[in-house]
Amino acid sequence: MKIIYTTAFAFFLFTSFNMQVNSKQTVLVSNLQNKSGRLFIGWYTAPESFPGKDPDFTKEVAVNNLSEISVPFDNIPDGRYGISIYLDENNNGKLDMNFLGIPKEKYGFSNNVFPATRAANFEEAAFEIQGKSGTIPIRLK
């Protein structure tokens, strides 16, 4: 009987140290300026993918005449992430750019970084999730 308790205790200790903690995170998107369209949100863990290729988590949300919206994400594992968002106002499934490569539609990044002449990189947008639920505010430009 003592062996069963010892084995169960050892198993509990081993699994508790190796458990991945998941939490609920809410992305609060502001400065929508009462526009309509589809909001595309991507979470990234790989710097080489950020800000537009192969997100780890995605969500697409319809927006209609709102100034801000809260978008919940359940079961986000602890880790380091960067978030990229754009509002597809004409519903063509992409962020439209002008002839100079400047976005014509609203976009944003975690940490609310907006470099003057380029998209934010992963290091600028990166933040940590550490087992607690939280809200990530992102203001669109």
Side-chain angles (χ1 to χ4, degrees):
M1 192 64 147
K2 187 175 182 180
I3 291 175
I4 293 173
Y5 287 125
T6 305
T7 304
F9 180 72
F11 177 77
F12 171 75
L13 280 178
F14 177 76
T15 57
S16 65
F17 284 116
N18 291 315
M19 282 180 24
Q20 183 72 32
V21 176
N22 294 342
S23 61
K24 179 179 180 177
Q25 301 297 320
T26 301
V27 178
L28 177 61
V29 183
S30 62
N31 198 31
L32 289 168
Q33 295 181 331
N34 298 321
K35 296 191 181 237
S36 296
R38 307 238 11 117
L39 194 63
F40 289 88
I41 304 172
W43 289 62
Y44 300 84
T45 56
E48 60 275 2
S49 297
F50 189 83
K53 298 178 286 191
D54 303 320
D56 297 274
F57 306 101
T58 62
K59 210 168 249 194
E60 183 180 332
V61 180
V63 175
N64 191 17
N65 296 323
L66 298 173
S67 60
E68 70 177 28
I69 188 169
S70 292
V71 182
F73 285 82
D74 295 324
N75 298 316
I76 300 294
D78 284 356
R80 191 166 188 234
Y81 296 95
I83 298 176
S84 173
I85 301 176
Y86 71 92
L87 177 61
D88 183 14
E89 296 175 50
N90 60 5
N91 293 309
N92 67 354
K94 64 180 184 174
L95 176 63
D96 294 325
M97 309 279 199
N98 69 15
F99 71 97
L100 295 173
I102 298 169
K104 293 169 38 177
E105 297 174 303
K106 298 186 87 45
Y107 66 96
F109 304 102
S110 45
N111 294 335
N112 291 311
V113 292
F114 293 105
T117 59
R118 60 176 172 74
N121 64 42
F122 184 79
E123 293 304 317
E124 293 167 326
F127 63 95
E128 294 282 333
I129 300 289
Q130 294 291 330
K132 292 183 180 179
S133 295
T135 300
I136 300 123
I138 299 179
R139 181 175 170 77
L140 298 184
K141 180 174 180 179

